[in-house]
Amino acid sequence: MATRSVVIVGGGLTGALAALALASDGYRVDLYERRADIREAEVIRGRSINLAISERGLTALERVGLKQKALEMSVPMRGRQMHDLHGSLTFQPYSANSDENIHSISRGELNRLLITEADRSDRVALHFHHRCIDLDTEASVVTFLDDRNGERVDTSGDLIIGGDGVNSAVRAALTVSDDFDLQQSYLSHGYLELYIPPAQGGGYRIEKNALHIWPRKSFMMIALPNDDGSFTGTCFWPLEGDGSFGNLGDAAQVSDYFEHWFPDVPDLVPDLEEQFLAATPSTLVTVRCQPWVVGDTVLIGDAAHAVVPFYGQGMNAGFEDVRILCEQLETHPGDQRQALENYEKLRIDNGNAIADLAIANFHEMRDHVASPWFQMRKKFANLLQKMLPGWYRPLYSLVSFTNTPYAEAIEIHRRQNRILCIGSIFILGAFVWAVIWIVRNV
C-alpha cells in the first residue's frame, strides 16, 4: 500500500502524540499548530492546570517508546493529602497496591518532548503559526492562515485529524452538518493557579508524593508537585456569589480570605496577594459531541470530549484515543472507513462516561473527602482489594490504574456494589438469626 498522508490540526499534547504515533506506523504526517513552537515559548504560569498521568496515558506513550522518559520527568503521587481548616493533615492512599501511583507532570515539558520526538522523524513536517480557518470534509481539504504573513494554505490528506482542543476549529467546521450534535456545559466554578516555590535551599515545602487538597464544601484548592521542588496550586472557586473570585478585589480581601479558609497557604506562597490579583480565573467546560467521524475527518482528545480536570483523565483519555485510533488503522490497513467507524464506536460512549465521572469527582473532592464516613469507605475499599485480589477493584483504581474502558469500569463498579450489598444483607440476616437463636436457647 502506498504511503498514506495525514493532516493533524493542533500541536498540543494529543495532536503531537498522534503525529509521532502515526509516523511510527508509516504514515506521512503534516502537523499544523496555530501557536508558535512550544520549544521556543516562554513558560507562563496560571493558564494550564498541572497534569496527572496514569496508566492509560503511559500505555499510549509506551507504544511510541516514551513511557520511561515521561516517568523520569514526573513526580509520583501515592494519594491525597487533606488540609483542614486548622492545618491538620489526613492522607488517603489511591490504592491498596503501593506501586500504583498517578504521576504529576508538566504539561509544557511533556508537550516539548512530544514535539521534539515528532520533529526527529523524517515522516513528520511541523507547521507553526498556522490557524485553521476552513475544512471541506468531502474533499478532505483543510485551509490554514499563516499568521506571520497572512497567506492562505490549502492542504489535503487521506486522513484529517482534529486534535485542536476544547475550542476546536475542526469541530466547529463539522457543526454545519444538520446531524452534528454539540453540547457544552460550564461549571459555576472557575480556576486560578498559584505557584508554590521550592523551600529555601531546595526541596519541597509540603509532602512531595501527594496530591494536596484543601476541601471546603462549596470550593477547594489543590496542589500538585513539580520535579524542581515547587507545586502548582489551583483554586477552584465559584465565579460569582459568596466565596467567589469576584468578591476578592484587593490585597486585604485576598489576605483575609486565605487566612480564614486556607490558613497554611500564605506561608507557602510568599507573594500570594500579588499572584492572585495578577491572574484571571478561567472557566471549566465539558464538551460532548457526536459524531466524531465525518468522512475522512476524525476528532480526538478535547476536540471530541473535553472534560473537567477532577479525575485527572483529560490527557489520559486523549492519549487513549490516539492509541485506539492507531490500533484500528493497523487492524484495517486497507479499509480506513471501517477503522474510523470502529474507533468512534469504541470511544464515544467512553468519552461521555469519563465526562460524568469527572464531574462526580469534583463533588467528591470538594464536599466529601474530609468526612470520616468517606475516609472509612475508602479504607474499606482498599481492604477489600487486598482481601479479594483479581475480583474487587475500586472504581478509582479501574479508571486510573488499568486500561479498562471507562463505561465498562462503571458497570464493574456497580456490579461489585450490588454483590457487596446482597452479601452485607445476607451477613446481617445471619447475624440477627444467630442472636435470636442464642436468646431463645440460652
Side-chain angles (χ1 to χ4, degrees):
M1 184 177 65
T3 300
R4 295 178 65 78
S5 61
V6 181
V7 176
I8 299 177
V9 184
L13 292 167
T14 305
L17 177 63
L20 181 58
L22 288 165
S24 299
D25 288 347
Y27 289 79
R28 189 179 72 254
V29 180
D30 281 281
L31 176 67
Y32 290 84
E33 166 58 43
R34 65 180 177 82
R35 297 166 297 186
D37 188 339
I38 193 170
R39 293 170 295 180
E40 302 170 0
E42 179 185 357
V43 177
I44 300 175
R45 297 181 199 144
R47 300 303 303 173
S48 175
I49 296 173
N50 224 33
L51 298 173
I53 191 166
S54 51
E55 183 63 25
R56 296 168 200 273
L58 292 171
T59 300
L61 289 175
E62 187 173 33
R63 193 174 188 275
V64 296
L66 293 181
K67 176 180 177 179
Q68 191 56 41
K69 284 188 177 180
L71 289 174
E72 289 170 0
M73 58 194 287
S74 69
V75 179
M77 297 183 292
R78 301 188 179 97
R80 299 165 171 168
Q81 184 87 72
M82 268 73 64
H83 299 242
D84 71 12
L85 270 172
H86 309 290
S88 298
L89 304 176
T90 306
F91 183 76
Q92 293 177 2
Y94 283 129
S95 172
N97 299 327
S98 59
D99 59 341
E100 291 184 333
N101 306 312
I102 61 176
H103 301 263
S104 177
I105 194 167
S106 164
R107 175 191 293 269
E109 291 305 314
L110 181 55
N111 205 166
R112 287 185 180 93
L113 172 65
L114 291 169
I115 288 290
T116 298
E117 293 298 322
D119 200 15
R120 288 176 178 167
S121 171
D122 58 5
R123 296 180 180 272
V124 177
L126 303 176
H127 310 271
F128 299 103
H129 301 285
H130 281 69
R131 180 160 43 95
C132 177
I133 59 173
D134 195 18
L135 167 65
D136 183 340
T137 56
E138 292 186 2
S140 295
V141 173
V142 191
T143 302
F144 297 92
L145 184 68
D146 188 334
D147 286 332
R148 296 165 297 186
N149 55 28
E151 180 182 348
R152 289 170 61 96
V153 178
D154 291 327
T155 187
S156 62
D158 298 304
L159 177 63
I160 310 296
I161 296 179
D164 49 341
V166 62
N167 297 311
S168 170
V170 174
R171 186 183 67 233
L174 299 182
T175 60
V176 300
S177 173
D178 291 338
D179 62 352
F180 193 90
D181 180 29
L182 173 64
Q183 301 174 38
Q184 298 183 88
S185 57
Y186 289 83
L187 289 183
S188 59
H189 289 58
Y191 74 91
L192 182 151
E193 285 193 345
L194 297 172
Y195 175 71
I196 301 175
Q200 286 189 344
Y204 292 82
R205 293 171 179 259
I206 49 180
E207 169 58 39
K208 171 185 177 181
N209 298 117
L211 186 154
H212 294 260
I213 306 179
W214 289 258
R216 299 296 184 262
K217 295 293 185 183
S218 63
F219 56 98
M220 67 176 177
M221 176 176 165
I222 69 171
L224 277 72
N226 300 308
D227 60 3
D228 64 352
S230 67
F231 281 80
T232 301
T234 310
C235 303
F236 295 101
W237 301 350
L239 292 167
E240 301 292 341
D242 294 339
S244 69
F245 289 113
N247 286 346
L248 303 179
D250 59 45
Q253 290 175 327
V254 173
S255 177
D256 290 345
Y257 193 82
F258 274 88
E259 287 291 348
H260 178 74
W261 290 108
F262 308 98
D264 53 344
V265 171
D267 288 339
L268 301 175
V269 188
D271 57 344
L272 173 62
E273 295 85 356
E274 180 183 350
Q275 278 197 51
F276 188 93
L277 295 172
T280 301
S282 299
T283 56
L284 292 163
V285 63
T286 299
V287 174
R288 306 172 196 258
C289 67
Q290 186 174 335
W292 290 8
V293 174
V294 178
D296 294 318
T297 299
V298 58
L299 299 174
I300 61 173
D302 284 355
H305 53 78
V307 300
V308 293
F310 304 107
Y311 225 112
Q313 286 296 305
M315 174 188 63
N316 291 285
F319 281 11
E320 191 170 56
D321 290 344
V322 173
R323 175 178 66 82
I324 291 177
L325 175 61
C326 290
E327 289 174 352
Q328 289 304 311
L329 290 168
E330 186 177 6
T331 303
H332 303 278
D335 193 348
Q336 179 173 288
R337 187 169 301 277
Q338 185 63 56
L340 297 183
E341 288 179 4
N342 289 355
Y343 161 76
E344 184 180 66
K345 289 177 183 178
L346 288 169
R347 295 304 292 159
I348 199 164
D349 288 343
N350 289 301
N352 291 330
I354 191 55
D356 293 337
L357 287 174
I359 293 171
N361 214 44
F362 169 55
H363 297 291
E364 176 178 299
M365 292 172 70
R366 186 191 67 179
D367 302 340
H368 304 306
V369 292
S371 76
W373 171 244
F374 177 87
Q375 293 174 25
M376 183 177 69
R377 283 172 48 214
K378 282 292 184 182
K379 290 178 180 178
F380 180 63
N382 286 341
L383 177 62
L384 283 177
Q385 186 177 356
K386 284 185 176 180
M387 293 174 60
L388 304 170
W391 181 79
Y392 182 84
R393 292 211 72 170
L395 178 60
Y396 189 90
S397 290
L398 286 168
V399 169
S400 298
F401 305 128
T402 78
N403 291 308
T404 305
Y406 294 118
E408 184 180 338
I410 294 172
E411 183 53 40
I412 291 172
H413 173 69
R414 289 172 177 166
R415 185 166 63 247
Q416 288 178 160
N417 280 354
R418 285 195 296 268
I419 293 172
L420 289 174
C421 183
I422 293 171
S424 298
I425 293 172
F426 176 80
I427 292 171
L428 179 61
F431 175 76
V432 171
W433 181 88
V435 170
I436 294 172
W437 186 88
I438 291 172
V439 169
R440 287 179 176 177
N441 292 278
V442 174

